[in-house]
Amino acid sequence: KIFKAFKRIDFEQLTGNYLLGGTPQPLGRILNYFYKKNKKKIIRFTHGGDRVFFDDILWIYNEIMFCDEYYVHGSEEKKVLQKKIKQNPHRKDLFQTKVITRGSEKHKQLFEYFRMKKQRKNKKILFVPGCFLGEVFMHNPYFKPSDTVIADYIFWTVKIINDLGYEITIKVHPGGIQFQRFFKSLPCEIIYNSFNLSSYDHSIIIFDFAGTAFFDSLASNKGIVYLNNHIRPSVDPNYNSLLQRCQVVHAFYDNNNIRFSSKDLKKSLENAYDQQFCDDKFAKKYFFGHNS
């Protein structure tokens, strides 16, 4: 319907010769097509920053179809995307894209702020699970598990962490569907406001989805734990660099659902407690625009 509606618009007569965008929505891709067809320039900006660590199958199709210039966070993200474009069989028709990086000012500032700020260690954990999307907007299963699967292992993981003697708080994702009845049933504190790294006094932050908040947290002086459910395949050697910055707990599957070993989680939390920093080498690769 959107495509048919846009066919009736004379895009040549629209004021402005540029289309700016940043989110991978179908509307944006359709607009890209019509702007490109009418010889206008499409400039897009990456979001999140996590794609440098994961080989998401649909990344370039979602983000840079018919795009002229695509701005990324750091030098490593640029390298990964250029490689994906070069290897794509449709590159001549769909992906004639110049990838540009000048670094991420947001993450440079976060890195400098937390490098100067002394972190007081405690046994407090902030758990930031991914959002619930419902069946209508549910992600592809090779990017994110279903809501039911996620809810079940969140409950399981909170129980393990409580049993280990940590004080846990869940930060609910502000987007998607907020199942307040579910979150209120969990034996921990719940916060619903926007993610704000500088306001948390927790020593450790746990993620089950590596998105924007995860990537931001890598620049902090917090210990980071990533619960890897193995839905998204990793990109080497950047994933190996990620292992130097954060602890990873690998999932296993029992007769019920995705699970995380209490033994592995205990060890990862202990290691994260001692590893509360982002070093210069990591920051230069993922937050700065060297080799751009």
Side-chain angles (χ1 to χ4, degrees):
K1 291 182 179 179
I2 296 174
F3 187 88
K4 288 181 178 179
F6 283 173
K7 284 183 71 174
R8 296 193 293 268
I9 298 174
D10 185 356
F11 281 86
E12 285 190 5
Q13 300 304 313
L14 292 179
T15 57
N17 293 315
Y18 297 90
L19 175 66
L20 302 180
T23 57
Q25 302 298 329
L27 175 62
R29 292 191 291 276
I30 296 171
L31 275 174
N32 285 358
Y33 169 78
F34 282 101
Y35 267 72
K36 190 80 172 177
K37 185 178 179 181
N38 288 276
K39 298 181 172 53
K40 295 177 183 286
K41 190 172 184 178
I42 297 97
I43 301 173
R44 292 182 60 79
F45 302 87
T46 188
H47 61 286
D50 52 288
R51 301 288 175 81
V52 69
F53 304 116
F54 300 96
D55 187 18
D56 294 323
I57 298 170
L58 297 180
W59 180 21
I60 61 174
Y61 291 98
N62 285 339
E63 302 252 355
I64 62 170
M65 282 178 62
F66 312 113
C67 176
D68 295 295
E69 293 182 359
Y70 189 75
Y71 286 80
V72 298
H73 290 87
S75 57
E76 290 301 315
E77 187 176 4
K78 177 180 176 178
K79 291 177 186 176
V80 169
L81 183 53
Q82 286 177 323
K83 184 178 179 180
K84 289 181 77 71
I85 292 173
K86 185 177 180 180
Q87 294 175 342
N88 191 281
H90 305 114
R91 62 185 180 276
K92 291 183 179 179
D93 300 319
L94 303 180
F95 305 117
Q96 297 175 359
T97 306
K98 182 180 180 181
V99 184
I100 301 170
T101 175
R102 297 193 175 101
S104 169
E105 290 302 320
K106 172 186 177 182
H107 294 92
K108 291 177 189 177
Q109 291 173 15
L110 282 172
F111 173 64
E112 293 296 337
Y113 171 80
F114 282 104
R115 184 162 65 170
M116 302 298 295
K117 184 178 181 180
K118 188 174 181 180
Q119 171 73 16
R120 211 169 48 161
K121 292 188 176 183
N122 54 48
K123 296 270 285 185
K124 297 174 67 175
I125 291 174
L126 185 70
F127 183 13
V128 187
C131 65
F132 293 111
L133 296 172
E135 292 184 357
V136 175
F137 298 104
M138 184 172 60
H139 271 299
N140 292 306
Y142 42 79
F143 184 70
K144 198 167 182 287
S146 69
D147 291 351
T148 305
V149 170
I150 295 172
D152 181 69
Y153 75 60
I154 287 174
F155 194 92
W156 174 265
T157 304
V158 169
K159 181 181 183 304
I160 291 176
I161 294 172
N162 277 331
D163 290 344
L164 291 173
Y166 289 90
E167 179 184 338
I168 182 170
T169 300
I170 283 190
K171 163 66 188 73
V172 177
H173 196 291
I177 301 171
Q178 295 189 9
F179 292 119
Q180 294 198 15
R181 183 178 178 183
F182 164 71
F183 286 113
K184 287 178 180 178
S185 71
L186 297 172
C188 63
E189 182 184 355
I190 307 293
I191 54 177
Y192 295 93
N193 57 337
S194 298
F195 187 79
N196 183 2
L197 263 173
S198 61
S199 68
Y200 304 130
D201 65 343
H202 307 74
S203 286
I204 301 169
I205 308 181
I206 299 177
F207 297 90
D208 72 333
F209 180 79
T212 303
F214 172 80
F215 192 73
D216 291 355
S217 298
L218 295 176
S220 75
N221 61 358
K222 308 286 187 183
I224 310 297
V225 175
Y226 173 54
L227 304 179
N228 188 354
N229 54 34
H230 296 291
I231 300 298
R232 301 167 75 186
S234 59
V235 173
D236 293 329
N238 290 313
Y239 189 76
N240 292 330
S241 295
L242 181 64
L243 297 178
Q244 302 302 312
R245 172 61 185 99
C246 75
Q247 300 297 309
V248 176
V249 183
H250 296 284
F252 67 93
Y253 299 85
D254 66 8
N255 292 331
N256 298 308
N257 196 358
I258 294 173
R259 292 287 182 256
F260 299 96
S261 161
S262 57
K263 180 181 178 181
D264 292 347
L265 189 54
K266 180 178 184 293
K267 185 173 178 58
S268 293
L269 291 173
E270 290 170 351
N271 290 340
Y273 183 82
D274 295 327
Q275 188 190 11
Q276 296 175 17
F277 66 92
C278 174
D279 63 29
D280 290 352
K281 183 179 179 181
F282 186 92
K284 285 178 181 178
K285 289 175 71 174
Y286 301 107
F287 309 140
F288 289 77
H290 297 290
N291 302 319
S292 59

